[in-house]
Structures are given as C-alpha cells and as structure tokens.
Amino acid sequence: MMDRLEGYVSHIRYHNDDNGYTVLELETTHGDEILVGTFHYIAEGEYLSAQAEFKEHPTHGPQYLVHSYTVKEPEDKAAMERYLASGAIKGIGAALAKRIIKKFKKDTFRIMEEEPERLAEIKGISLKKAMDIAVQFQEKQEMRQAMMFLSEYGISSQMAVRIYEKYGDRMYEILRMNPYQLAEDIHGIGFRIADGIAAKAGISPDSEFRIGAAVLYVLQQAAGAGHVYLPKEILCRSTAQMLELPEDFIADHLMELVLDKKLIMRTAGEEVRVYLKSWYFTELNTASMFMNLSIHFPMEKSRLQQRLAILEEESDMELDLMQKTAVEKALEEGVLIITGGPGTGKTTTINLIIRSFEMDEMDIVLAAPTGRAAKRMTEATGYEAKTIHRLLELAGGVEENEQYHFEKNEENPIEADVIILDEMSMVDISLMCALLKAVLPGTRLILVGDSNQLPSVGPGNVLKDLIESEVFPVVRLTRIYRQEESSRIVQNAHKINRGEQIVLDNRNPDFFFFQKNDIRSIMGGVIYLVKDRLPQYIKANPFDIQVLTPMRKGELGVDHLNQVLQYYLNPSGPSREEREVHNGIFREGDKVMQIKNNYKTAWKITGPNGAVIEEGLGVFNGDLGIIRQINRFSERVTVIFDENRQVEYPFSALDELELAYAITIHKSQGSEYPAVVLPLLSGPDILCNRNLLYTAVTRAKKCVAIVGRQFMVEKMISNVREQKRYTGLVECLAEYSGE
C-alpha cells in the first residue's frame, strides 16, 4: 500500500553519489519519518512530496521505501524561510533568511528570480551578493531539471553534476546530436551509458559517432583485461558483435580515428596492432627508457672474485653459480632481472647484492608494488622498502578535477645509485613507465620476481616481456635450498609449475587436503579451518588466515564466502557498530579490501599519543585493512591498513571497500599469509588453471589447506590455458636494441 508523504528534508543520513541511493529524514506534520530511495539531486531544507511504501527493516526499524517523488518550491512564508536558512543558498544563514522573508513575504522567490537587485534593499546584502544569490537560486533550479532529465537515462547524480558543470545548457544539444561525446569528455561515463542515451535520442545504429565510440570502448575494456593493444581483426570482430553490425563497417572507421589522433595502428609481421594513443606511447617510452639504463660497468675479474670471497666469508656460506652470477651482473650491468620460484634464495641473493653495493658506499633504494610486499622486503633485508607509489611521491588529486601526479619524474629524479624492485610480476606497464621516468641513466635497476606468477592486474606483462626480449641479463634461480627442502608448500609449488601431479596424503605438517564433494561440506570445512583449527595449529589470529578462491560469483565465490565468514568470524553484537552498504553490511572489526585505486584518498600514521607521524595520499586496489570505527555522527568509517595507515571513508565512499575474509587469487598477488585455505569444487577452465593454483599455493608461509575435490586439483595442474595478453614491449625493445 502506497502512502503520500510531504514535508521538509531535515537531514540526509546517507547519499551515494554514484547511484543516488539516499537515506533521509523527512519532517512532516505528523512527525519525522525515514525515507529510503533513489534521489539524484536533493538538499536539506527542500520540500518533498513522495509516494512511498512502509517497510519494517530488520536492522534499522520502520522506514518508507520511495517509489516516486517531486521537489516543490516552498509556497508559504515559513517554508520559504526554512529553505533559505537551510544552507541551500550559500551566504544566507538563519538571520538573513528571516530579514529577506520579512521584507518580501510570499513574493520572495519571484523577487530572487525576476528582480534580484532588490535583495540589496536589505541590510547586509550588497548588489554583488544579491546577484550571487540570484545566480545560485537559478542554478539550483536548472541543476535539478538537468538531474531529473539525466536520471531518466540511468546517469548517477555524481555523473550528472559533472555533465552539467562541463556543458551547462549545451548539455541538451550534445545529448541530442552526439551523446557519445560524453564518453570522451567525462571520466566515468562509458560507452554503455552513452549508447543508451543515443538510442533514446534516435541516433542511427550505424552512426559514425557510435562506431568510433564503440571502438574506443572495446580498447578500454581490453586494457582493463590487461591488454596494451588488440589485433585489428579481433578489435573489429568484438566491436561488430557488440554493435550487431558488419565487421567491414568497423574497419572502414579505424583510419578516421587514426587521423583524429585517437588511435595508432602499427604492423608487426602479419599482425596489425591497434592501440589507444596513450598506451602506445607508454609502451614505447618504457622500452626507450629501459634501453637508456642498459649501461655496462666493467669490473676487473680479480676484483669480482675478491668481492665474492668477502661475501662468502661474511655470510658463512658457499655461493652457488647462479648467486655468484647475480652479484657479478648486478655490479656490471645497468639492468638486471632475477627470477625464481619459492625457496630458491631470491631474498638471500638480494641481501648479497645489497652488501656488495654497500662495500662501494652506494645509495640503495628498495621498493615493491604493495604495502605488504614492501613490509616483507624491509623485514628480510633490514633496509626500508617503500611502495612504488610512495617512492615516486604520489601527489595531487585533492581539488575537484585535479589529476594525481608523481613528484618524482624526469625533472626531479630518485636520488639513488641502485634501485631494487621486488614482486615485479605485479608491476603493469603504466607504473613501470612512471618509475623509469624518475630513474637517471647510470642508476642500477635490479628487478626481482617470479615470472610464473599471475601477471599484473593492469595492462602489460612487463616481467615476462623483459625476460622474453633477451635484451637484458636474466639470472634464473632454480635450486631449492636445504632449509626449504622439507617444506611441502615449496615442493608442491615447483611440481605444480612443472605440470607434475602432487601427492595429497596429509603426511606433511604444512600442506593438507580435505576431500569434500559438495558445496555444503566444503563450506563447513572452510569455516572449521579458519575459525577453529588453523588458528590453534599455526598460532595465529583467524583474520591472518586468508581464504582464496578463483571466482567472484557462485556459492564458493568471493561474494558469498564473505557473507558466511563474516557471520562466523565477526558476528553482530551490541558492542559493534554496523553500516548497511550496497552489497551487505560493514561491521566494526571486519576485514576489508580496497577494490580500486584511489589516488586522492588521504592516509596518516599516528603514534601512541595520537600525534601524526606520517601522512600521504593514495589507497590502492588490493590493500587490506580492518574497520576500527563506524561513526554514525560524523558519517565516517575508519580503516587501518598495512603499515598502520589510517584512512577515513565518508559513508558515500564505502563502495570502494568490500569484505576480504575471502578474496580472489588474483587479488592475493604480492601478499603472503601465515595460512591459505583454498576451496575447490568446479569452475571455468580460463580461471581454474595451473598458473592460478601455483599463485595460490605460493601465497602461504606456514600452511596450505585445500578443501574440495582431488579431481579439481589435478585438472588445474594439467590445464595450461591462460588468457593471452597482447603487449608489444618485446618488439619495442628489439627495435631499440637494434636486433
């Protein structure tokens, strides 16, 4: 049953800028009511008339679900005064609102719209201020009209504001003539939204605007899947299928986009590669800067032998051939790549190289892609390691429409003789390019990683491409050292990598398998292991045990697993504040993860007395933290991330977080956990492959527990199918090196 509610918006409890979802308090003649619904543009103090359905929420109590609404201009003097005093018009407070209404009475809004200069008759309002008030009053009306218009096309209020601020009244003409311009001009407006608007506006399905926008969209989506370019044939086929048009229609328009300097086409052998212009130059510049660092620093053989002898004496160990080679190449080459699996001595080798450079009193800088990887590097070497973003001194993005940037660049390079970068498999082409811009020729660059790990989330396959290019020296560490030989985790990881089936007999203390053949049994096993068995076994907190899964959806996907694990590991209670979010509930004490790069978000590290020790910008995709506080009064959630970085999220930004009791294997890159629990029942071949299983197993430090079907483990080891990444770094390096 629907009710009509009318009244003033007294308080907006929550508003999501992306989808308009809002919780507000409405002051009616019968008392205050809570309204929940989609409001694309609403402000406190406005008069609302809504059709709503009464609901009893299990957590938040009685509320009205709004199905439709209109915002009315206040008509009586009291309502007008209330609106003006609400702060909706900047520069008008309660006292001034009272004087305006006293002077103009019910004629107030007409005066503000038609004769705004008369506002200057009131003490405290200059002619300039009167005009400012009139402009705001008019903009409020125009903005609301624009919001309502754009909401019909499914555009969020946040995006609608950007559109209106960009175009003003031109918005309507652009939407009528070429809605696809939105996708090019405004960040966050994609092809799908623009295409929906175009269909309603009557734009022809084979319009050149539509085809051009679709090509750019397909390439942007490809970048999201890790590709730097797409072959022309695949690009045309994918675009044609999406638009339901012939492929030759698409091919005919590619040259127009090239002439407009939006695309770059390049022939490599028989393949025609199509790049978005930005990615083409990112890849090209990366190759060029790598070659600029490829300098040979000759060292006398006798001096090298003496250096190695000192290292062996100091470390009380006999270096194997590959370790000696790594030290020699590090001393003599501008760029060196060191790759190897778990237990092959990568950390020991890094320490030997560091010690060797220390003998020459060189300045050494260490970095890694994530906070966790940097922390492990610090613990293993004794040198402070930073994330690459912190090393490059991320800044900017604080002001509206301000782009982030790195303070370290060509003009302000990193002051170091040697830069050692760990977990290189995670570094995408964009971040690599940014780092290289800040590295002076003559600086040694040592790249360390496991080339068999999953590639970076972002575009590119930098580590594998560098190795494949054969332009730079590569040291492959393959020997498993004595202290690792008893580890079944290390043994099984190498077997998986070689395609050998592993023995699941539960006879080793660090690798377990629990045969379960249905979802319910697997779920029960996961809960038991995470909540009860493993914390006692490895002497760790349940939150330190990470559930990894290949998939997001399904009963054993991230979304469902997190709901179940939250219920058992962090149940609701009177001492834990909660906040309802778009995909469930956040609770104080929850384990959460940042799910997209946000270069604007501020963080701080505080000391025992609350004093700020350090502060900076940037929270990144994959960062894990714990919700310390949910403050309903300030409408903010405080999360503590790695390195004790404290971040405050307004309620409107909580869609950047999700529960992280379970995460995808891809998101676990660069991290290490005391124990990993891996539920495996079934899944598509493209997700359930050898590469993925290898990555999951190598994330565990003390213990791996697989729960599910043995057949699935065997299938993943046998499945070498991986999604091919289209990257051109190998060819670019070959060109620059003259090969």
Side-chain angles (χ1 to χ4, degrees):
M1 180 180 176
M2 300 289 256
D3 296 319
R4 175 171 290 280
L5 300 172
E6 290 196 4
Y8 306 101
V9 178
S10 59
H11 179 55
I12 296 176
R13 291 187 175 184
Y14 172 76
H15 179 75
N16 186 309
D17 285 336
D18 286 333
N19 56 28
Y21 178 78
T22 306
V23 180
L24 59 83
E25 296 177 17
L26 192 72
E27 186 178 323
T28 73
T29 54
H30 304 293
D32 291 349
E33 302 290 357
I34 303 298
L35 271 61
V36 177
T38 301
F39 295 84
H40 291 283
Y41 187 71
I42 196 74
E44 292 178 0
E46 292 186 315
Y47 192 82
L48 195 67
S49 176
Q51 289 277 8
E53 181 183 1
F54 181 79
K55 295 282 187 183
E56 186 73 38
H57 193 279
T59 303
H60 304 296
Q63 56 185 225
Y64 281 90
L65 181 63
V66 175
H67 289 265
S68 64
Y69 72 94
T70 56
V71 177
K72 296 184 174 182
E73 281 194 1
E75 296 175 353
D76 60 78
K77 290 191 296 182
M80 289 179 178
E81 181 179 335
R82 184 188 188 96
Y83 175 73
L84 292 177
S86 70
I89 307 294
K90 290 180 181 177
I92 300 180
L96 189 53
K98 194 174 191 69
R99 293 205 299 274
I100 294 172
I101 298 298
K102 184 177 181 181
K103 172 73 176 176
F104 299 115
K105 301 180 174 57
K106 288 187 177 182
D107 212 21
T108 295
F109 282 5
R110 187 195 66 77
I111 295 289
M112 293 176 72
E113 188 172 353
E114 299 176 9
E115 303 176 76
E117 67 278 0
R118 290 189 59 192
L119 292 171
E121 298 173 14
I122 297 170
K123 185 179 179 180
I125 300 182
S126 65
L127 184 59
K128 182 180 183 303
K129 186 170 183 176
M131 293 300 104
D132 287 343
I133 291 171
V135 168
Q136 284 191 65
F137 186 74
Q138 186 66 28
E139 284 179 346
K140 287 280 181 181
Q141 293 178 318
E142 292 173 355
M143 177 71 84
R144 185 178 295 112
Q145 291 171 359
M147 290 286 204
M148 297 303 292
F149 176 80
L150 292 169
S151 70
E152 295 176 6
Y153 297 103
I155 297 174
S156 72
S157 56
Q158 187 180 43
M159 290 302 170
V161 169
R162 290 185 190 175
I163 292 170
Y164 185 76
E165 289 179 347
K166 174 74 175 178
Y167 304 122
D169 290 340
R170 289 179 54 236
M171 175 190 81
Y172 300 99
E173 180 185 354
I174 288 168
L175 292 176
R176 186 174 69 255
M177 299 298 295
N178 178 20
Y180 300 101
Q181 189 173 334
L182 299 177
E184 293 187 42
D185 292 347
I186 299 173
H187 179 71
I189 294 284
F191 172 79
R192 296 291 186 186
I193 293 175
D195 201 38
I197 296 171
K200 292 183 179 180
I203 303 293
S204 171
D206 61 356
S207 158
E208 62 178 291
F209 294 130
R210 184 173 190 244
I211 293 173
V215 168
L216 298 178
Y217 173 76
V218 170
L219 285 171
Q220 288 160 357
Q221 293 297 107
H227 306 295
V228 180
Y229 73 88
L230 282 181
K232 180 181 176 182
E233 180 183 346
I234 292 176
L235 173 61
C236 291
R237 185 192 313 135
S238 299
T239 308
Q241 288 174 351
M242 185 177 76
L243 298 182
E244 298 181 350
L245 292 173
E247 285 187 35
D248 56 356
F249 272 49
I250 314 303
D252 291 344
H253 282 79
L254 290 184
M255 191 51 66
E256 293 176 21
L257 291 166
V258 171
L259 293 174
D260 286 342
K261 298 183 178 180
K262 294 175 181 176
L263 297 183
I264 288 178
M265 286 200 290
R266 180 178 179 182
T267 301
E270 297 182 0
E271 183 181 68
V272 178
R273 299 174 174 181
V274 186
Y275 290 82
L276 289 172
K277 187 174 73 170
S278 60
W279 289 118
Y280 174 77
F281 286 110
T282 297
E283 192 170 68
L284 204 64
N285 290 338
T286 299
S288 173
M289 290 184 290
F290 262 122
M291 294 309 303
N292 290 340
L293 295 176
S294 185
I295 300 171
H296 184 65
F297 302 91
M299 194 171 181
E300 292 180 4
K301 194 71 176 175
S302 59
R303 192 173 167 213
L304 278 173
Q305 294 300 326
Q306 183 184 27
R307 182 68 54 87
L308 292 170
I310 293 172
L311 291 175
E312 287 185 323
E313 183 179 347
E314 288 185 350
S315 62
D316 192 25
M317 61 180 285
E318 183 180 345
L319 306 187
D320 69 21
L321 177 60
M322 287 297 98
Q323 287 175 325
K324 289 179 180 179
T325 302
V327 173
E328 291 174 2
K329 294 294 184 184
L331 291 169
E332 290 193 315
E333 302 295 340
V335 178
L336 171 65
I337 300 159
I338 300 173
T339 184
T344 56
K346 291 194 297 295
T347 299
T348 301
T349 304
I350 290 173
N351 282 327
L352 290 168
I353 290 171
I354 289 173
R355 179 66 190 119
S356 182
F357 283 123
E358 283 179 333
M359 293 180 193
D360 293 327
E361 298 184 347
M362 287 187 169
D363 291 328
I364 305 164
V365 167
L366 274 57
T370 67
R372 287 194 167 210
K375 184 179 179 182
R376 288 208 320 274
M377 204 177 183
T378 299
E379 292 169 348
T381 64
Y383 265 76
E384 181 193 7
K386 297 180 179 179
T387 64
I388 299 173
H389 288 88
R390 289 181 68 186
L391 176 63
L392 294 177
E393 297 180 10
L394 181 73
V398 177
E399 301 296 329
E400 187 67 26
N401 298 323
E402 180 189 10
Q403 296 296 315
Y404 79 90
H405 64 276
F406 294 116
E407 294 285 350
K408 293 293 184 183
N409 50 39
E410 306 96 317
E411 298 175 0
N412 181 27
I414 298 166
E415 295 180 6
D417 298 309
V418 182
I419 298 174
I420 302 177
L421 182 60
D422 200 8
E423 293 289 355
M424 258 302 296
S425 63
M426 296 182 65
V427 179
D428 63 34
I429 192 75
S430 179
L431 188 57
M432 192 73 247
C433 186
L435 177 67
L436 291 172
K437 286 178 181 178
V439 181
L440 284 173
T443 305
R444 264 76 157 200
L445 184 62
I446 299 169
L447 309 175
V448 185
D450 185 346
S451 60
N452 293 305
Q453 295 284 354
L454 291 169
S456 58
V457 175
N461 206 350
V462 178
L463 180 60
K464 281 189 177 180
D465 285 350
L466 290 172
I467 294 171
E468 186 183 334
S469 74
E470 299 183 351
V471 172
F472 309 108
V474 178
V475 175
R476 292 176 172 84
L477 303 175
T478 55
R479 175 183 166 187
I480 301 175
Y481 283 85
R482 189 178 298 109
Q483 63 267 29
E484 302 287 357
E485 287 178 353
S486 62
S487 168
R488 185 62 68 90
I489 295 174
V490 172
Q491 290 179 20
N492 284 346
H494 285 274
K495 282 186 175 181
I496 291 167
N497 192 40
R498 294 193 298 265
E500 300 173 11
Q501 294 299 329
I502 58 178
V503 178
L504 300 172
D505 57 7
N506 293 332
R507 291 184 179 178
N508 276 70
D510 63 353
F511 204 103
F512 301 102
F513 174 73
F514 301 90
Q515 178 74 33
K516 306 288 181 183
N517 296 314
D518 60 83
I519 289 171
R520 187 169 181 174
S521 299
I522 292 174
M523 192 72 77
V526 169
I527 294 165
Y528 169 70
L529 287 168
V530 175
K531 183 173 182 288
D532 301 314
R533 187 70 187 95
L534 288 180
Q536 298 174 18
Y537 184 70
I538 63 169
K539 304 294 187 291
N541 188 297
F543 281 30
D544 294 328
I545 298 162
Q546 189 61 58
V547 177
L548 300 179
T549 177
M551 298 163 292
R552 288 201 60 83
K553 303 301 180 184
E555 292 291 313
L556 295 177
V558 166
D559 296 339
H560 185 246
L561 279 169
N562 271 319
Q563 292 177 12
V564 174
L565 289 167
Q566 181 193 44
Y567 177 82
Y568 285 98
L569 297 178
N570 193 34
S572 61
S575 63
R576 293 192 186 102
E577 188 68 69
E578 295 182 351
R579 174 68 186 175
E580 188 174 357
V581 290
H582 64 290
N583 58 353
I585 289 174
F586 284 161
R587 192 172 291 138
E588 288 177 343
D590 271 337
K591 183 178 180 181
V592 292
M593 179 173 63
Q594 176 81 11
I595 59 172
K596 64 180 180 181
N597 289 337
N598 188 328
Y599 302 98
K600 298 181 180 181
T601 298
W603 54 262
K604 62 183 179 182
I605 300 173
T606 58
N609 59 354
V612 177
I613 299 173
E614 187 179 353
E615 53 190 349
L617 291 175
V619 187
F620 303 106
N621 190 357
D623 283 356
L624 289 175
I626 301 292
I627 294 178
R628 171 183 283 178
Q629 183 185 45
I630 298 176
N631 190 322
R632 290 191 173 275
F633 179 75
S634 65
E635 297 189 339
R636 302 184 83 78
V637 173
T638 303
V639 179
I640 307 298
F641 287 100
D642 293 328
E643 303 173 296
N644 290 315
R645 290 175 300 141
Q646 180 176 311
V647 176
E648 287 192 353
Y649 291 83
F651 282 0
S652 58
L654 292 181
D655 54 350
E656 293 188 10
L657 296 171
E658 68 180 19
L659 294 175
Y661 299 100
I663 63 174
T664 61
I665 296 170
H666 220 130
K667 291 276 187 168
S668 72
Q669 282 179 281
S671 296
E672 188 177 71
Y673 314 100
V676 162
V677 177
L678 187 60
L680 294 175
L681 181 64
S682 62
D685 286 353
I686 197 67
L687 287 179
C688 299
N689 57 36
R690 181 188 300 172
N691 196 211
L692 211 73
L693 182 62
Y694 174 78
T695 299
V697 167
T698 55
R699 298 307 88 202
K701 188 174 183 179
K702 296 181 179 178
C703 178
V704 170
I706 299 176
V707 186
R709 299 166 66 198
Q710 183 169 342
F711 165 76
M712 195 61 188
V713 178
E714 295 168 352
K715 177 184 174 183
M716 290 181 77
I717 294 172
S718 301
N719 178 19
V720 293
R721 182 184 174 194
E722 296 177 39
Q723 184 183 25
K724 175 178 172 57
R725 287 206 166 186
Y726 294 106
T727 67
L729 185 59
V730 173
E731 289 78 10
C732 289
L733 287 167
E735 285 184 23
Y736 277 113
S737 65
E739 295 182 6

